[in-house]
Amino acid sequence: MKKRPLSFYFLSAFFGLFVLFLYGPFSAIFLLSLQGPEGQLTFPMRGFSFYWLASVFGQQRVGSFVEAFQRSLLLGLLVMVITVVISVSAGMAFRRRFIGSNFIFYLTISSLIVPSILISLGIGIVFSLLGIQSQWYSSALAGHLTWTIPFAFLIMLGVFNRFNPTYEEAARDLGAGDGKTFWEIVLPLIAPSLIGVALFGFTLSYDEFTRTSLISGEKNTLPLEIFGMTTNVTSPSLYALGTLTTAFSFLLIGVALIGIQFFSRRQSE
Amino acid sequence: MLKNWRTLQPYLLVAPQTIVLLLFLVIPILTIVAVSFWEFNGYSMTPGFTLSNYQAIFASKVYLTTYLNTFKFVGLVWFFTILIAYPVAYFLAFHVKTLRWQVILFLVCTIPFLTSNIIRMISWIPFLGREGVINKSLMALHFTDKPVEMFLFSDFAVVLAMVHLYVLFMIGPIFNSMMRIDRMLVSAAEDAGASAFQIQKEVILPLSSSGIAIGTIFIVTLVMGEFATVRLMSGGQSSSIGYLIKNQIGSLQYPLAAANAVILLIITLMLVFAILRVVDIRKEL
């Protein structure tokens, strides 16, 4: 084995610092949310308790996080399901060349390139001109889809690029129809990637701020609720909420990764 | 009949995605363009055709400074994300030898980006505040005897938070294009006696330029329309076009907000097309 060059150690150190930069702030709010009731927004830690974590579930002066969380959870699940179905369907279409495919490709990419605030503003204006009340489950859902679908679509293009069509052809030769081939051959083969798409769809929606901000209606999603809190809450309950939602995100990512491992392993057997 | 079905099939499959994007992307943006020409009398808008919204923007110095401030954020965030992303991506692609570890370390970089942006901004408060870690350490080391105010609620905090939020959008594309570089090219350059610097300059940088371009497009579009980070990290002391639009909507000045949004969109698209002219990114997809 070749001796490792000096640059390896230098870059390893740089990478280590980068990871610290990414995770350092998290660990700070995690620690500070475990303070005693006399806790403040900065170090040193004052006492140790679960007081602030518990306070998240109680009634707050500025609103109820439990309800905002439920809304965001439901919205995330809706966005996730719609995104997976639509992007798999579009991905299947793009396996063949068809007239207009370039147009649709660029249309989808442009949804990523348009600054998010335009989506929020545009959907907001359309809804108000039509006289429809903005709601988290209508206008905000629409805004989220313009963000999750292009990502999911790009992932699906990658998945189908690497997809080996021989299994499918074999199924067809044995007389399976399009539907049967899709459900029994294609879907199980792309299942691990679908977990990735679902994770993306859910988390992008669950954490989305700008594309929700002007069109959530009168009831806030969780990120909007937290943003509202930053201007008037000066206690560690802010950090406690941050810790809990982050822990929830980590949990989801963990479950998704285990799911991907599980499906990939079953496939390789 | 069966033949018709085969030709129709892709259109049916792609229809849901197209409809969603037409309804919630194309129509809203066309509406913004239309409304930007509508008349506004101070409290309500009426359909019509006037250039006064645009005239108001171009005549005002406040708007000019806001646009320049936004470009400053874009430029700074772009610079620092490349400065961080290039070495990180290079390390992952060339120094980490097994695919398994590449995937694991890349995931380590990715996970924070799947959590809430707002929380990630808030998490800087314990470090940057008056009583924060940085000020305490500076005072303990006697670099300063009273807390430095510039850390939180400043442009510094805005740029720091944006780099923290968006750096993955640079790392991902650069890492992706570096992974496609044929390792034989690097060995060949080494055998031909190229120095480490020459290898970077002549081989790796040109071949990862499309990744840098895609990352740049992401950074430009993300930062151009930003308002949450600007609002939160500058404490309302700094401004950006996105923040301006948000405030105009707050006071129901829709035509003015729409005109600003149109200008924002045009500038963003011009930047994106300029990047696409320099680098062909289609081979990355």
Side-chain angles (χ1 to χ4, degrees):
Chain A
M1 178 153 174
K2 220 163 67 169
K3 198 172 146 278
R4 282 185 157 148
L6 193 63
S7 62
F8 172 82
Y9 298 99
F10 184 72
L11 284 170
S12 306
F14 187 83
F15 186 80
L17 283 176
F18 174 68
V19 171
L20 197 65
F21 170 67
L22 281 185
Y23 288 86
F26 273 138
S27 40
I29 61 165
F30 172 69
L31 286 174
L32 288 173
S33 67
L34 293 174
Q35 295 180 93
E38 68 280 10
Q40 309 250 309
L41 284 179
T42 48
F43 285 108
M45 281 182 75
R46 294 162 181 86
F48 178 90
S49 76
F50 295 110
Y51 176 86
W52 297 106
L53 289 176
S55 80
V56 171
F57 297 98
Q59 190 61 42
Q60 303 278 334
R61 275 169 301 148
V62 272
S64 166
F65 305 120
V66 178
E67 279 172 32
F69 171 75
Q70 283 167 347
R71 275 194 286 276
S72 275
L73 186 67
L74 197 58
L75 180 59
L77 289 174
L78 277 172
V79 171
M80 178 184 94
V81 171
I82 298 172
T83 304
V84 169
V85 172
I86 286 183
S87 65
V88 169
S89 163
M92 289 290 287
F94 269 75
R95 299 179 66 191
R96 282 197 278 143
R97 285 248 150 230
F98 59 95
I99 302 163
S101 62
N102 257 335
F103 167 75
I104 291 165
F105 178 79
Y106 285 111
L107 175 70
T108 312
I109 300 296
S110 63
S111 194
L112 282 182
I113 288 172
V114 169
S116 297
I117 187 140
L118 267 95
I119 304 279
S120 238
L121 173 64
I123 295 177
I125 293 182
V126 169
F127 268 65
S128 79
L129 288 178
L130 294 175
I132 310 171
Q133 183 72 42
S134 290
Q135 296 288 2
W136 60 269
Y137 50 79
S138 59
S139 42
L141 174 72
H144 285 192
L145 288 177
T146 63
W147 185 231
T148 55
I149 283 178
F151 278 110
F153 174 70
L154 289 177
I155 298 175
M156 287 321 299
L157 285 191
V159 168
F160 281 123
N161 266 342
R162 279 179 274 120
F163 190 78
N164 183 352
T166 46
Y167 299 108
E168 232 177 327
E169 281 154 16
R172 285 233 173 74
D173 291 345
L174 292 173
D178 277 351
K180 204 173 162 70
T181 314
F182 175 77
W183 288 108
E184 296 190 4
I185 307 293
V186 180
L187 200 61
L189 283 174
I190 61 173
S193 317
L194 287 191
I195 297 177
V197 173
L199 177 69
F200 256 91
F202 182 84
T203 53
L204 288 177
S205 160
Y206 178 72
D207 299 323
E208 179 53 42
F209 179 78
T210 312
R211 289 191 193 218
T212 329
S213 57
L214 309 167
I215 47 176
S216 69
E218 61 223 350
K219 297 213 167 96
N220 277 345
T221 59
L222 190 61
L224 294 185
E225 194 77 26
I226 298 171
F227 187 75
M229 249 180 109
T230 56
T231 50
N232 53 22
V233 175
T234 49
S235 71
S237 60
L238 190 61
Y239 296 152
L241 189 60
T243 301
L244 288 176
T245 57
T246 308
F248 179 70
S249 294
F250 282 173
L251 182 77
L252 278 182
I253 297 165
V255 169
L257 289 178
I258 291 169
I260 291 172
Q261 282 271 322
F262 173 75
F263 275 104
S264 319
R265 193 163 301 160
R266 223 176 51 169
Q267 260 174 32
S268 55
E269 268 165 19
Chain B
M1 174 62 206
L2 198 68
K3 194 155 175 279
N4 272 343
W5 165 240
R6 296 295 296 172
T7 36
L8 263 179
Q9 202 182 26
Y11 294 98
L12 290 175
L13 286 171
V14 90
Q17 175 158 323
T18 315
I19 291 168
V20 166
L21 292 175
L22 286 178
L23 282 181
F24 303 130
L25 175 74
V26 177
I27 291 179
I29 285 177
L30 293 178
T31 312
I32 291 178
V33 175
V35 167
S36 73
F37 294 109
W38 286 14
E39 276 151 34
F40 182 68
N41 60 10
Y43 42 90
S44 70
M45 56 180 180
T46 41
F49 185 84
T50 173
L51 292 174
S52 60
N53 301 311
Y54 288 97
Q55 278 161 355
I57 292 169
F58 286 112
S60 156
K61 257 198 93 170
V62 179
Y63 288 111
L64 183 69
T65 30
T66 309
Y67 275 89
L68 290 178
N69 209 35
T70 312
F71 295 145
K72 184 183 78 185
F73 287 139
V74 172
L76 286 171
V77 173
W78 177 74
F79 176 76
F80 286 111
T81 47
I82 287 195
L83 209 65
I84 295 172
Y86 189 87
V88 167
Y90 181 77
F91 173 75
L92 288 178
F94 286 93
H95 281 302
V96 179
K97 295 296 180 197
T98 62
L99 184 67
R100 186 185 164 76
W101 273 102
Q102 281 174 330
V103 171
I104 291 172
L105 291 180
F106 188 71
L107 273 175
V108 166
C109 296
T110 311
I111 285 168
F113 294 84
L114 295 174
T115 65
S116 165
N117 279 4
I118 306 292
I119 304 288
R120 296 180 66 206
M121 290 178 219
I122 292 170
S123 64
W124 281 105
I125 296 174
F127 288 89
L128 300 176
R130 265 183 71 90
E131 314 264 298
V133 171
I134 295 180
N135 264 324
K136 287 250 171 82
S137 334
L138 285 179
M139 282 160 73
L141 293 166
H142 298 290
F143 281 127
T144 170
D145 35 302
K146 60 174 199 291
V148 182
E149 300 279 354
M150 67 158 274
F151 294 124
L152 194 59
F153 302 145
S154 66
D155 286 358
F156 167 79
V158 174
V159 173
L160 177 74
M162 283 188 188
V163 170
H164 189 233
L165 289 180
Y166 301 136
V167 67
L168 180 77
F169 287 95
M170 192 62 99
I171 295 177
I174 298 181
F175 176 61
N176 182 43
S177 53
M178 280 180 176
M179 288 295 279
R180 288 160 190 247
I181 296 177
D182 189 344
R183 304 297 133 128
M184 301 301 268
L185 288 174
V186 181
S187 318
E190 270 168 2
D191 293 344
S195 70
F197 178 73
Q198 277 173 321
I199 291 175
Q200 285 295 329
K201 187 168 156 278
E202 305 289 339
V203 182
I204 306 209
L205 186 63
L207 289 175
S208 53
S209 60
S210 50
I212 297 176
I214 295 176
T216 305
I217 291 175
F218 270 122
I219 298 290
V220 166
T221 56
L222 285 167
V223 179
M224 281 297 280
E226 250 290 352
F227 72 86
T229 318
V230 176
R231 166 71 189 79
L232 199 79
M233 300 307 285
S234 83
Q237 291 175 28
S238 201
S239 195
S240 69
I241 317 172
Y243 190 30
L244 200 71
I245 295 175
K246 159 96 173 126
N247 284 340
Q248 284 167 340
I249 296 161
S251 50
L252 299 176
Q253 295 171 296
Y254 282 110
L256 212 54
N260 262 313
V262 170
I263 297 174
L264 169 67
L265 183 64
I266 291 173
I267 294 174
T268 310
L269 290 182
M270 273 165 43
L271 287 170
V272 169
F273 284 122
I275 296 163
L276 292 180
R277 278 192 71 93
V278 181
V279 189
D280 178 25
I281 62 161
R282 234 173 303 175
K283 61 174 192 276
E284 288 294 307
L285 300 165

